[in-house]
Amino acid sequence: MSSFENLLLSVVSPVYNEEAGVDHLVTEVIAALAKRVGPWEMVVVNDGSRDGTLDKLLAWHRRDSRIKVLDLSRNFGHQRALLAGLAHASGEIIACIDGDLQDPPELIPVMLRELDERNVDVVYGVRRRRKESMAKKTAYWTAYRVMRAVMEIELPLDSGDFAVMRRPVLDAVLRMPEQSLFLRGLRAWVGFRQIPFEYDRAARFAGDAKYTWKDLFRLAYNGIFSFTKLPIRLLGLVGVGAIAISVLYALFLLAAWFGGQTFPQGFTTLVLAIIFFSGVQLVALRILGAYIHRIYDEVRARPAYLVRAFWNDTPTPS
Ligand code: UDP
Ligand code: MG
């Protein structure tokens, strides 16, 4: 068995129109890994950049064959680009890092040491402080707390995709052929032994964020719909609530009627019928939703379970 230091390390980084920063990225990763004993590779994914990013990457590749370039056919978005890079990484240890130097490459060796010494399977970055606009910070903060409250998995708060992990974890993540990708959710979902690693997220090295507000909403959306039944459950709750209200209202009207109150003809039946049947319809939708969610579960074909280890030594006969 080879020791931890000698395992092949893959550093995966997606880039989109990062012409101004990509040289810095590669330089910093090389510098961060300069003291590494074991072999490493860097898989940079060019996510359909329209600027000179690819040329710069290819120049690196010609100079240093450890820098590998995966060129996607068009822009697929950060999550899919990262997934593509992960699928093309051959390391036993894998590091994911953003291409804009917001995740400091010099932390990779520190996280690797944690992975080894604490004997865990994933060390994931948790942002201590963000150097971003107040609006974006608030949006992230809220989104994570809402998601945490409604999700079926333990979503690590304020975590991004910055992480180092061992091969079995990556293989587990790659077994899930999901379209609406939320990689940090999947990474949490697979289990294994994971520990957080606090770090300060730097400001972008160059250029503007490539994630637009639309992308952020889509990401949050994917997080919610891929990991919770909450929207469907809400339908059911509102439906049951409406039915309950109609029953209470009926009792109230009955009492008022006995008390000698008069109502315009047909009014009470109409109002009651509307509230009651709206409730019934929502409950019916909830039932349909439950079936649809089951279909969704089946087509998305997540593994029913994942094994971390199997101790099955045959006992030596005494
Ligand atoms: N990125 C990508 N494809 C995209 C958008 C972004 O590969 O369609 C890359 C981008 O180059 C960067 C990383 O994903 O390396 C994170 O993007 P960004 O900095 O825009 O996101 P933020 O830090 O604002 O979450
Ligand atoms: Mg960024």
Side-chain angles (χ1 to χ4, degrees), residues 221-236:
Y221 220 67
N222 282 345
I224 290 173
F225 280 88
S226 302
F227 290 98
T228 114
K229 279 203 268 281
L230 183 83
I232 299 177
R233 285 220 189 98
L234 281 179
L235 280 183

Side-chain angles (χ1 to χ4, degrees), residues 264-309:
Q265 190 128 54
F267 167 77
T268 45
T269 0
L270 197 61
V271 170
L272 280 178
I274 290 175
I275 304 179
F276 180 76
F277 283 106
S278 307
V280 169
Q281 283 179 6
L282 285 176
V283 169
L285 282 178
R286 165 71 176 92
I287 294 171
L288 284 183
Y291 280 103
I292 293 174
H293 200 273
R294 275 162 188 251
I295 299 172
Y296 180 44
D297 263 345
E298 297 296 335
V299 294
R300 136 177 106 168
R302 283 186 188 160
Y305 60 85
L306 291 161
V307 175
R308 197 180 74 79

Side-chain angles (χ1 to χ4, degrees), residues 42-54:
M42 182 177 184
V43 180
V44 195
V45 185
N46 177 41
D47 186 17
S49 299
R50 275 179 282 266
D51 61 359
T53 304
L54 181 63

Side-chain angles (χ1 to χ4, degrees), residues 8 25 28 34 58 70 72 84 95 130 144-145 149 174 203 238 255:
L8 173 63
L25 170 74
E28 289 214 3
L58 291 177
L70 182 67
L72 299 188
R130 286 171 173 275
Y144 274 101
R145 262 123 201 114
L174 292 178
V238 175

